[in-house]
Amino acid sequence: MGKIVVLPLDDPRRAVLEAEGWSIAARSFGAQLDAPRVDRQRLQQLVAEVERSDSLRELTVADVNAVLSLDAATFDDYPGSVATRHERLGRLRATPSVFRRAYGVFLPAGELVAMTFVDVEGVTAETDFTVVRRDQRGRRLGFAVKACSVLALLSYGVTRFRTGGSADNAAILRANDAMGYIRDEEWVTLEQDAR
């Protein structure tokens, strides 16, 4: 692998680097949802769709082993490059707290199959990651855990929600759009071939 640089999409250095032979290896984005724009009814519907068959709730310290298991099963599933790389969870990062909230979907048999982790600082919450086990994708579980996190954090006084990730992750883009997030940052990861 050659050199890598991450730049805002409209950074003038991008054209210079591309003219020098650098190529786009990945695209990423950032998005925001502010409390006044939250459609609570829509988010409640997303949660209700899942709660008809599965359990959706805030994760606790008692769920750490399930979190670590799901993280291990999905570690290689994150699209993108260095700008959106998911770091494997250790026990500390897998442990929810007042500043690191987490929400998950459990099958009736008790298996954790979807989760989102959100870092909270004051009135701002930033999604660290959202993931769904491969065999459960297509059921809108990612939509539901993200919606659940926003609804819960609104009740704790959070007014600004940030998220981001790979622009190649169609599922998370659809989930964010369904929830009302507005993309306000676009980035490119440029790579120079090793010579």
Side-chain angles (χ1 to χ4, degrees):
M1 184 190 314
K3 296 178 183 174
I4 291 177
V5 66
V6 180
L7 297 172
L9 181 67
D10 58 358
D11 191 307
R13 293 174 292 172
R14 175 185 166 198
V16 173
L17 290 171
E18 287 181 319
E20 292 174 357
W22 291 64
S23 59
I24 295 175
R27 295 176 184 270
S28 53
F29 72 94
Q32 184 162 311
L33 176 62
D34 294 312
R37 293 194 61 254
V38 173
D39 182 343
R40 289 174 191 254
Q41 184 176 0
R42 172 71 178 132
L43 299 190
Q44 288 164 348
Q45 288 172 343
L46 292 171
V47 168
E49 287 173 14
V50 168
E51 288 183 326
R52 283 193 274 275
S53 58
D54 302 310
S55 171
L56 174 55
R57 63 171 174 79
E58 186 163 6
L59 301 178
T60 69
V61 173
D63 298 309
V64 170
N65 288 338
V67 167
L68 290 170
S69 178
L70 181 56
D71 186 60
T74 58
F75 181 72
D76 293 324
D77 295 351
Y78 293 84
S81 185
V82 295
T84 57
R85 183 167 290 137
H86 173 70
E87 294 180 29
R88 190 176 302 274
L89 297 178
R91 289 197 84 75
L92 183 62
R93 284 191 61 232
T95 303
S97 71
V98 69
F99 302 109
R100 186 162 170 78
R101 309 306 280 260
Y103 303 83
V105 175
F106 292 82
L107 297 180
E111 296 172 272
L112 177 64
V113 293
M115 62 184 171
T116 191
F117 271 72
V118 183
D119 296 316
V120 180
E121 185 175 332
V123 298
T124 301
E126 175 110 21
T127 302
D128 181 13
F129 68 90
T130 302
V131 70
V132 177
R133 199 172 75 185
R134 264 179 237 135
D135 65 332
Q136 298 295 316
R137 292 184 186 149
R139 297 183 53 220
R140 296 164 57 102
L141 302 184
F143 289 49
V145 291
K146 287 194 76 141
C148 181
S149 73
V150 169
L151 290 169
L153 293 172
L154 281 169
S155 71
Y156 292 122
V158 172
T159 59
R160 180 179 303 117
F161 299 87
R162 297 285 309 163
T163 194
S166 171
D168 298 321
N169 187 339
I172 208 65
L173 292 173
R174 283 192 306 274
N176 292 338
D177 289 346
M179 294 177 57
Y181 277 92
I182 296 175
R183 274 176 260 170
D184 56 8
E185 295 178 11
E186 292 182 87
W187 298 77
V188 290
T189 299
L190 298 169
E191 187 172 277
Q192 182 185 46
D193 293 331
R195 298 183 195 270

